[in-house]
Amino acid sequence: MAISIKTPEDIEGMRIAGRLGAEVLDYITPFVKPGVTTGELDRLCHEYMVNVQGTVPAPLNYAPPGYPPFPKAVCTSVNDVICHGIPGDKVLKNGDVVNIDVTVITKDGYHGDNSRMFFIGEPSKLARRLTEITYECMWLGISKVKPGAHLGDIGHVIQQHAENAGYSVVREFCGHGIGKVFHEEPQVLHYGRPGTGEELKPGMIFTIEPMINAGRREIREMPDGWTIKTKDRSLSAQWEHMILVTETGYEVLTTSAGTPPPPAFIQKKDTVAA
Ligand code: MF3
Ligand code: CO
Ligand code: CO
């Protein structure tokens, strides 16, 4: 199966989906404070999607082969949770770090998938550095995207930056093609060698969403069938954007008023989301 090339109509639909996905993260930001539960954050995001945006949360009842239906609207992954944390009674406290991963489906059927890290009160030095390095990893990967580049170029820069910092790259989960389908080809690995893997072509859309552990890369699956934690209980961080391959480079589709700016070392492109 080949990687789909999106039509101009698809690309327009994905720009809208990306913006709406990012706007859910903008909306929830002021609520991510000590004392709030992950379940309350989920409820607020869900309500905003359905009642304000007219979108639908893609995770709710999502059930890939071998998984039970995901029971909530967003993923909330706290501290040593790598990804797919299920919102619930957990109360966020000073010093916690949480990833909130939002995927909306628009009325036209397009998916907008993105995630950000949030500090609860004052983070530890380690949590701050891990979160910053992971953000740089995502952006280094994004900066490699252009026609003629290979998926391995993206994985390589991410792995190199994470490991140079003394951290490790989670292998079991990766970025993915996306459109009217939530997860499609290609798999975007966050490790690899330059010049390997599929060649990028204009019109491809995929996510880059590195999961970086402060300790070892191994994972542990929780009995709920979804939650993934670090085996060694070390902290884990993740950021996610949805990227379009343009004729000259890339366009970040998950862009909103509140999108954090790229790291200073990223050259400003003429192709930013409208
Ligand atoms: N949003 C996640 C991703 O980046 C997928 C979450 S699937 C869920 O691919 F069911 F756990 F929500
Ligand atoms: Co994704
Ligand atoms: Co996501």
Side-chain angles (χ1 to χ4, degrees):
M1 266 283 289
I3 303 171
S4 73
I5 301 298
K6 267 59 181 180
T7 65
E9 182 189 344
D10 288 335
I11 290 169
E12 206 32 64
M14 289 296 283
R15 284 195 181 103
I16 293 166
R19 178 175 52 76
L20 290 166
E23 285 176 352
V24 177
L25 290 170
D26 291 358
Y27 162 75
I28 202 64
T29 298
F31 297 100
V32 189
K33 291 275 141 62
V36 76
T37 65
T38 53
E40 176 69 0
L41 296 175
D42 176 79
R43 190 187 67 73
L44 288 163
C45 287
H46 194 173
E47 206 172 74
Y48 185 78
M49 288 184 235
V50 172
N51 297 333
V52 178
Q53 295 187 324
T55 63
V56 168
L60 186 61
N61 295 317
Y62 184 60
Y67 285 81
F70 191 82
K72 296 288 178 177
V74 304
C75 299
T76 51
S77 300
V78 183
N79 297 339
D80 64 337
V81 177
I82 297 170
C83 64
H84 302 164
I86 300 175
D89 298 337
K90 186 175 181 65
V91 179
L92 297 178
K93 61 177 196 309
N94 188 48
D96 285 342
V97 283
V98 59
N99 172 279
I100 303 180
D101 192 334
V102 167
T103 309
V104 302
I105 309 175
T106 65
K107 63 173 185 357
D108 296 327
Y110 293 103
H111 289 75
D113 183 7
N114 67 159
S115 80
R116 297 180 196 159
M117 295 296 293
F118 298 86
F119 298 136
I120 310 303
E122 200 49 40
S124 69
K125 265 190 152 158
L126 172 64
R128 189 182 292 280
R129 179 164 177 270
L130 175 68
T131 297
E132 280 174 11
I133 294 281
T134 304
Y135 190 63
E136 292 169 3
C137 283
M138 176 184 69
W139 268 103
L140 283 166
I142 292 170
S143 72
K144 290 290 165 191
V145 174
K146 64 174 180 200
H150 292 258
L151 285 173
D153 302 346
I154 299 169
H156 179 72
V157 282
I158 292 171
Q159 180 179 15
Q160 205 174 37
H161 193 58
E163 292 180 356
N164 280 345
Y167 302 145
S168 64
V169 177
V170 171
R171 301 296 203 272
E172 288 82 354
F173 301 92
C174 56
H176 51 92
I178 186 167
K180 284 191 168 172
V181 174
F182 193 175
H183 294 102
E184 61 182 29
E185 285 190 65
Q187 295 195 33
V188 181
L189 304 182
H190 303 116
Y191 59 94
R193 282 179 294 118
T196 65
E198 290 276 353
E199 185 178 322
L200 305 186
K201 297 193 168 57
M204 291 179 176
I205 295 179
F206 50 80
T207 69
I208 298 178
E209 49 180 302
M211 284 144 275
I212 306 298
N213 297 347
R216 294 174 57 84
R217 74 187 196 212
E218 287 79 12
I219 69 168
R220 246 168 353 126
E221 299 176 21
M222 296 297 106
D224 63 25
W226 277 103
T227 307
I228 304 295
K229 293 187 179 182
T230 57
K231 192 173 180 189
D232 65 5
R233 294 177 158 75
S234 66
L235 284 181
S236 188
Q238 178 177 30
W239 293 84
E240 176 175 27
H241 267 315
M242 217 167 57
I243 310 298
L244 166 70
V245 184
T246 65
E247 296 293 333
T248 55
Y250 63 83
E251 178 179 321
V252 178
L253 299 177
T254 32
T255 300
S256 61
T259 307
F265 61 78
I266 297 294
Q267 300 287 312
K268 180 126 174 62
K269 297 273 179 158
D270 53 358
T271 53
V272 293

